[in-house]
Amino acid sequence: MPSNKKLLVLPGDGIGPEVVREVLRVVDWMDKRRHVSFDLSEDLVGGAAIDAYGTPLKEETLEAAKASDAVLFGSVGGPQWDVLPFDQRPERGILGLRKGMQLFANLRPAKVFDALVDASTLKNEIVQGLDILILRELTGGIYFGEPRGIETLPDGTRRGINTQVYTTPEIERIARVGFELAQKRAKRVMSVEKANVMESGVLWREEVQKLHDAEFQDVELQHMYADNCAMQLVRAPKQFDVIVTDNLFGDILSDCAAMLTGSLGMLPSASLGAVDPTTGRRMALYEPIHGSAPDIAGQGKANPLAQMLSLSMLLRYSFDMNEDADLIENAVENVLKAGIRTGDIVGPGMKPVSTTQMTDAILKELDAQAA
Ligand code: NAD
């Protein structure tokens, strides 16, 4: 049965439009072969929007994003806009969307595909089969807490201030997402803070535990200090399933987890807002974790798989289309196994394929799976 799903596509700059274009071929395939039709619209964001509209994010674009069921975002930025003041740069486009859509939950999976196990800097046995999810709180904590700033003291020295602050509703809503995600995975949550030295960490730990005891006893909950978690991520990352943590620790730990996989061009992410109690709908934006890669833009070299896997997250988390998401992930796995690689993940003795050739291979594999 055809279903209409409102999807806003924001390709952005650099390799963004190149990889998004390829993903739209998969969307088209889904329409034809899986009878899943999306109500698609597209707009400019970032540097492309600065050039066309004089702003990295038009108010109308933000409103359209809020009214969509999901946003598929490419990447923004480039050296030609680096001369602009910070508050007018392309990156304001993505920050404005995250803020305007109140996307408080950032999901960063770190999955190691068997065929790419050698891309990791860690030993094979440490990362083989790794499939973990870092859930980072994205709109609170020390990056937003007041007071903040740099002040000059009476003796002429200066003081820089940032404030780590979390309220119980903020902790509860991110923990809830963590438990719900774990319910669909291996049912294990590791909550991470520094309750040994920070009061906000004590509150974090207590509130996560309280929510667990009240509503999520089917999920196993453990707590860990952030410094230990950083160490455990490189020592024995497979011990984790879902890691839930705040904005600052999540920023650091998710980058660390990303590097376990060793391949920037393979990593998707999702940012989710709260569920609207009347419609049951939740705002959501999906994007690769890489940037606009100006060094390879326009050369047909970009790896489209992070963007492709962002689509599979979109299907899974915004539309509960797990079977279709699995199809894409299996196609990626099989294509890699067959030795088809873009330049960023190419192995010794392999010839790199172009962005388009990689998508051709994915579509062929999808055809084979759906046959
Ligand atoms: P980057 O992720 O764009 O590139 C880092 C390196 O990885 C480059 O050598 C690039 O060629 C390579 N790379 C990245 N994605 C790839 C892919 N899909 N296939 C093959 N190789 C790939 O990071 P950067 O160079 O630090 O930043 C470039 C621009 O992107 C900057 O303007 C930055 O602000 C912006 N940026 C945007 C986002 C976003 O839109 N969310 C995120 C990060 C960086």
Side-chain angles (χ1 to χ4, degrees), residues 15 19 73-79 82 90-91 94 98 264-266 287-296 301-306 342-344:
I15 62 166
V19 290
F73 187 92
S75 45
V76 289
D82 283 351
E91 290 76 2
I94 181 64
R98 286 182 189 149
L264 199 57
M266 295 293 306
E287 58 177 325
I289 73 158
H290 63 69
S292 56
D295 55 332
I296 56 163
K301 288 182 181 168
N303 183 349
L305 295 181
T342 43
D344 57 316

Side-chain angles (χ1 to χ4, degrees), residues 48-68:
I50 293 174
D51 292 349
Y53 314 131
T55 172
L57 179 66
K58 272 195 310 182
E59 194 54 44
E60 294 89 319
T61 313
L62 175 59
E63 288 312 312
K66 286 185 184 172
S68 303

Side-chain angles (χ1 to χ4, degrees), residues 304-323:
L305 295 181
Q307 192 78 53
M308 207 82 76
L309 293 168
S310 301
L311 173 68
S312 100
M313 285 189 89
L314 181 154
L315 298 174
R316 202 180 289 288
Y317 295 115
S318 280
F319 301 124
D320 256 328
M321 292 167 58
N322 293 314
E323 210 178 295

Side-chain angles (χ1 to χ4, degrees), residues 122 126 228-240 260:
L122 270 68
I126 305 286
N228 186 23
C229 184
M231 195 174 74
Q232 296 298 333
L233 268 176
V234 284
R235 192 187 73 85
K238 283 187 266 186
Q239 69 184 285
F240 299 111
L260 297 173

